[in-house]
């Protein structure tokens, strides 16, 4: 009985550590002296220059996906997205960031029974020397005051870019990024 409980607690701790290591953090900054409840409409302003020379993300097709995802998310929150006069302008930038990762150590727990006997085993893997590089796509969304383009709110998040992405996988990635970022708007 105690052995089963010990295994459950160990497995839970390992899963929590693994899930925590995989999570990304949405970064948000905003003007604390601004009343965000006055914002009801937004005008989308595509970026003037591409944020990256990476052809996987520097594309009019990707820009259209970002605009569509932002428009859909804001509409679902009850905001109006217009091409005319609006309470704030909204723009975005999609850039890439190179990262490195190395092989981690491994830890495992096993339990077995034979006849009336139970056994508990632990395993540990030594770190390897494999180092891999990868690219992350970083989406930053800015909300600017109409008229003087003062930055009111900024949110950013990232996702690992996959080689051989399809239109569906790019759309899913962008929708996920936009949702995670705009979920933090308005600030509380």
């Amino acid at each position: 009985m105690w052995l089963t409980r010990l295994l459950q607690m160990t497995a839970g701790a390992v899963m929590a550590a693994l899930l925590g290591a995989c999570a990304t953090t949405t970064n948000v900054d905003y003007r604390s002296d601004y009343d965000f409840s006055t914002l009801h409409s937004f005008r989308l302003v595509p970026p003037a220059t591409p944020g990256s020379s990476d052809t996987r993300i520097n594309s009019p097709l990707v820009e259209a996906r970002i605009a569509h995802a932002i428009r859909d998310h804001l509409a679902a929150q009850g905001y109006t997205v217009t091409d005319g006069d609006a309470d704030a302008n909204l723009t975005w930038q999609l850039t890439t960031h190179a990262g490195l990762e190395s092989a981690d150590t491994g830890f495992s727990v096993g339990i077995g029974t034979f006849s009336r006997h139970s056994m508990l085993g632990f395993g540990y893997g030594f770190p390897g020397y494999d180092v891999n590089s990868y690219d992350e796509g970083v989406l930053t969304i800015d909300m600017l005051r109409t008229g003087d383009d003062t930055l009111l709110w900024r949110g950013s998040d990232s996702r690992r870019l996959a080689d051989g992405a399809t239109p569906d996988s790019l759309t899913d990635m962008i929708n996920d990024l936009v949702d995670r970022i705009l979920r933090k708007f308005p600030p509380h």
Side-chain angles (χ1 to χ4, degrees):
M1 181 73 162
W2 67 270
L3 188 57
T4 303
R5 183 69 182 141
L6 175 66
L7 285 174
Q8 289 173 341
M9 290 173 40
T10 303
V14 169
M15 288 302 292
L18 290 174
L19 290 175
C22 296
T24 61
T25 303
T26 302
N27 298 302
V28 173
D29 195 11
Y30 57 90
R31 291 183 58 123
S32 58
D33 62 341
Y34 189 79
D35 181 8
F36 288 92
S37 66
T38 62
L39 298 178
H40 303 288
S41 62
F42 295 95
R43 184 170 62 101
L44 298 183
V45 180
T49 59
S52 173
S53 61
D54 190 326
T55 57
R56 291 176 292 179
I57 63 171
N58 182 11
S59 157
L61 299 171
V62 171
E63 293 291 325
R65 285 183 181 97
I66 294 170
H68 187 265
I70 292 171
R71 186 180 302 275
D72 285 354
H73 186 93
L74 291 173
Q77 286 186 319
Y79 295 106
T80 302
V81 179
T82 179
D83 292 331
D85 292 337
D87 299 327
N89 293 328
L90 192 142
T91 191
W92 61 90
Q93 195 76 39
L94 186 59
T95 59
T96 56
H97 171 75
L100 294 174
E101 67 182 357
S102 62
D104 291 335
T105 59
F107 178 76
S108 61
V109 178
I111 185 169
T113 60
F114 177 73
S115 185
R116 295 179 302 185
H117 304 285
S118 296
M119 294 298 292
L120 175 65
F122 296 94
Y124 180 78
F126 292 97
Y129 296 101
D130 293 337
V131 176
N132 299 313
S133 65
Y134 62 92
D135 291 322
E136 282 187 331
V138 181
L139 178 63
T140 302
I141 299 175
D142 290 337
M143 292 187 186
L144 309 168
R145 184 167 46 207
T146 304
D148 63 3
D149 285 339
T150 298
L151 181 63
L152 302 174
W153 182 93
R154 171 174 283 172
S156 67
D157 206 331
S158 62
R159 280 279 294 272
R160 196 173 192 151
L161 294 176
D163 288 328
T166 65
D168 289 339
S169 67
L170 280 171
T171 300
D172 290 345
M173 180 190 79
I174 289 167
N175 288 341
D176 183 52
L177 280 171
V178 168
D179 181 59
R180 289 190 333 221
I181 295 168
L182 290 180
R183 195 179 307 151
K184 304 282 186 171
F185 180 82
H188 304 296

